Amino acid sequence: VLEIATTRDELRAILGAEAAGYVPTMGALHQGHISLIERAVRENARTVVSLFVNPKQFGDPADLVRYPRDRERDFAAISASGATVIFSPRELEIYPPGFETTIEVTSLSRRWEGAARPGHFRGVATVVTLLLSLVRPARAYFGEKDFQQLRVIQRLHADLGLPGSIVPCPTVRDSDGLALSSRNARLSALARRQAVAIPRALFTMRDLADSGEREIAPLIAAGSQEVAKRDLLTLDYLTVVDPSTLEPIPTVVPGARALIAVSVEGLRLIDNLALLEPLPAHLSG
Ligand code: PAF
């Protein structure tokens, strides 16, 4: 049976002291979310999925209004994927009158998406801290697609000593390589075809690294060229960073992460890829 909570009290009454798997979402579920939920269902006796479009992480109020909402469809998809608890609170349940606490993960939020969307990661960090404290899951699942978000969440989870563990999950891609995102559906057919240059840029860079190239500049030149070939795409950034600090690095090292952001038809698409697999723990350090 599917249990649905809309208040904190209902959620606590359903969950009791029992630890669960947890997948926080803003709804508009696609196969990427479903893969997180299915993994949580496999690894936990029960799985909670939350649907909450968090106003604090939207800079532009018009973007918040435009954000796709389809509760019926989301509820059906969650139920079909085997999760048994849905937490679908109203805004006032999460942010009651007088709410004024903010969580900020400073350095990790500064660059890349943080620079393009001021206040975005403050909103994400605040709501994720609240949701993790409410649900108290044994394991919470987040996609690597939003790599900077994942790093911000791992940092706050460690810094605040929140319970359970954060489980990073691989990006789910369409058959042509484009990372799944609820924004993809808003692209015209031509822009959707051109968007394949985004994963191509990343995989071209990984191929170069695999064939021995260790300098960053030729990698970025090759990746940028893929995007430049498509007239509807504008490259916002393409960079290679240390996966723990997200600071740019001069040469490719194991675990190095390529990050990309592209503007297309007024939307921002982001993606990322590990260029060299990180060394196994017993060989590193
Ligand atoms: O990735 C998302 O969908 C959101 O940023 C999250 C983690 C649910 C917080 O609102």
Side-chain angles (χ1 to χ4, degrees):
V1 290
L2 192 59
E3 295 184 274
I4 297 170
T6 55
T7 67
R8 297 169 184 241
D9 290 346
E10 282 168 7
L11 182 69
R12 290 311 326 155
I14 290 172
L15 292 178
E18 200 184 329
Y22 177 39
V23 182
T25 80
M26 299 206 300
L29 302 183
H30 52 64
Q31 203 48 44
H33 298 109
I34 302 302
S35 78
L36 299 180
I37 300 172
E38 287 175 346
R39 176 156 176 200
V41 167
R42 281 197 303 278
E43 296 179 356
N44 300 276
R46 351 165 53 180
T47 292
V48 184
V49 179
S50 62
L51 301 171
F52 179 62
V53 182
N54 173 33
K56 288 194 192 293
Q57 69 188 77
F58 289 81
D60 176 2
D63 221 23
L64 173 63
V65 174
R66 240 185 292 133
Y67 198 82
R69 291 164 174 85
D70 189 344
R71 273 163 53 101
E72 301 289 303
R73 205 180 140 269
D74 288 342
F75 276 30
I78 293 167
S79 171
S81 62
T84 52
V85 184
I86 293 178
F87 181 44
S88 177
R90 288 184 319 125
E91 186 180 337
L92 278 175
E93 188 66 27
I94 297 297
Y95 302 121
F99 186 98
E100 60 167 326
T101 299
T102 292
I103 302 291
E104 182 165 13
V105 178
T106 51
S107 304
L108 285 169
S109 302
R110 204 165 288 144
R111 287 181 187 267
W112 321 123
E113 289 313 288
R117 306 173 67 187
H120 170 68
F121 286 121
R122 230 181 290 137
V124 170
T126 302
V127 82
V128 169
T129 302
L130 260 163
L131 291 168
L132 290 177
S133 314
L134 259 168
V135 178
R136 286 179 243 146
R139 294 172 204 84
Y141 297 79
F142 293 88
E144 287 185 351
K145 152 78 166 48
D146 295 304
F147 192 72
Q148 189 173 10
Q149 166 173 287
L150 170 66
R151 293 291 305 118
V152 163
I153 291 167
Q154 287 175 317
R155 188 74 254 164
L156 73 84
H157 178 264
D159 288 353
L160 301 177
L162 295 177
S165 56
I166 302 295
V167 184
C169 301
T171 301
V172 179
R173 297 180 180 280
D174 247 335
S175 54
D176 65 358
L178 185 67
L180 296 191
S181 158
S182 39
R183 295 180 179 185
N184 297 352
R186 285 156 58 189
L187 297 175
S188 69
L190 178 60
R192 173 63 191 81
R193 280 201 299 281
Q194 292 197 359
V196 73
I198 300 166
R200 259 195 211 154
L202 297 174
F203 284 96
T204 300
M205 291 166 77
R206 187 164 84 180
D207 286 350
L208 281 171
D210 282 346
S211 61
E213 181 60 75
R214 290 292 175 270
E215 294 304 314
I216 299 297
L219 263 58
I220 294 195
S224 306
Q225 225 179 9
E226 288 293 334
V227 175
K229 281 193 270 184
R230 275 78 174 190
D231 60 340
L232 295 181
L233 308 187
T234 310
L235 187 60
D236 185 347
Y237 58 76
L238 176 58
T239 182
V240 179
V241 299
D242 176 307
S244 56
T245 62
L246 302 185
E247 292 297 315
I249 47 177
T251 52
V252 183
V253 293
R257 204 95 190 177
L259 309 179
I260 188 169
V262 163
S263 299
V264 48
E265 295 182 329
L267 298 172
R268 240 180 118 66
L269 300 182
I270 60 171
D271 198 354
N272 68 87
L273 195 68
L275 293 186
L276 288 180
E277 289 308 321
L279 289 173
H282 68 283
L283 293 179
S284 63

